[in-house]
Amino acid sequence: MSFYSSVMEEITFYTGLSPAAFFTIAAMMIVVYRTVSAMFVSPEDYNKPPVISARTSSRFEEPEPRREPVQLGEITDWELRSYNGSDPNKPLLMAIKGQIYDVSAGRNFYGPGGPYAMFAGKECSRALALLSFKPEDINGNLEGLDESELAILEDWEYKFIEKYPKVGQLVPEHRTLQNEHTEQSQENLNNECKDEAK
């Protein structure tokens, strides 16, 4: 009995708690420890090797082999739209300041379902300068941008130059029509020269 009373006195002396409060707190700590431990690993599974689950998401599949970028030359904004990722056989393209980049390597970001999919197949200089996802900002109009926004756009442009191959350049719609008209005129002239030579 003297051992029991001396232990109870020591508990009170060292902790400042009554023996009932001390044992209640100790029991609560054990319950909390076991509850939290059970949330992470059960005792039966503690010594087992980890189980790796099968990957079902397409994002974790082996990446496709990298294709060589296709050089497009000069195309219009309308022609660029067909490279938005809707056709998996076509490269994924986007334009910054009139320069077209093949962003197929970033398909997880710019492809369908990606966080930046709205930029694919479009000239997106204004949206990048404004750090905007608004559809009305996804265009090449740089009017009204201040120096800091143009600096942001320049940073984006340097990132794209470093990371993605340049494959073409945007041209205005009317310029393409002029080029076709000029080529047609040149063909007609060549045909006339050949006819005269005969």
Side-chain angles (χ1 to χ4, degrees), residues 11-23:
I11 289 174
T12 305
F13 178 74
Y14 284 107
T15 63
L17 300 171
S18 69
F22 174 78
F23 286 113

Side-chain angles (χ1 to χ4, degrees), residues 82-151:
S82 66
Y83 296 94
N84 64 358
S86 58
D87 182 353
N89 297 321
K90 287 186 175 181
L92 202 55
L93 306 179
M94 64 186 278
I96 299 174
K97 291 171 70 175
Q99 305 303 311
I100 302 170
Y101 298 93
D102 184 343
V103 295
S104 299
R107 191 168 285 278
N108 288 346
F109 296 106
Y110 301 104
Y116 304 111
M118 75 281 301
F119 296 144
K122 297 178 185 158
E123 161 62 84
C124 55
S125 298
R126 185 174 193 82
L128 292 175
L130 297 173
L131 302 174
S132 171
F133 290 103
K134 295 177 184 173
E136 62 267 15
D137 289 334
I138 301 175
N139 60 57
N141 181 5
L142 302 180
E143 291 178 21
L145 297 178
D146 61 29
E147 286 184 36
S148 65
E149 292 164 338
L150 291 172

Side-chain angles (χ1 to χ4, degrees), residues 18-90:
S18 69
F22 174 78
F23 286 113
T24 302
I25 291 172
M28 297 272 297
M29 288 174 60
I30 291 170
V31 169
V32 168
Y33 171 77
R34 289 188 169 247
T35 304
V36 171
S37 296
M39 289 180 191
F40 298 104
V41 179
S42 66
E44 297 84 33
D45 294 336
Y46 186 73
N47 290 324
K48 289 183 182 178
V51 178
I52 299 173
S53 62
R55 296 176 174 171
T56 57
S57 174
S58 63
R59 288 188 178 212
F60 295 111
E61 290 177 3
E62 291 296 318
E64 294 179 16
R66 223 172 230 202
R67 299 179 193 163
E68 284 296 314
V70 178
Q71 294 298 321
L72 296 176
E74 294 182 343
I75 64 172
T76 65
D77 193 39
W78 182 256
E79 293 168 321
L80 178 63
R81 292 176 194 212
S82 66
Y83 296 94
N84 64 358
S86 58
D87 182 353
N89 297 321
K90 287 186 175 181

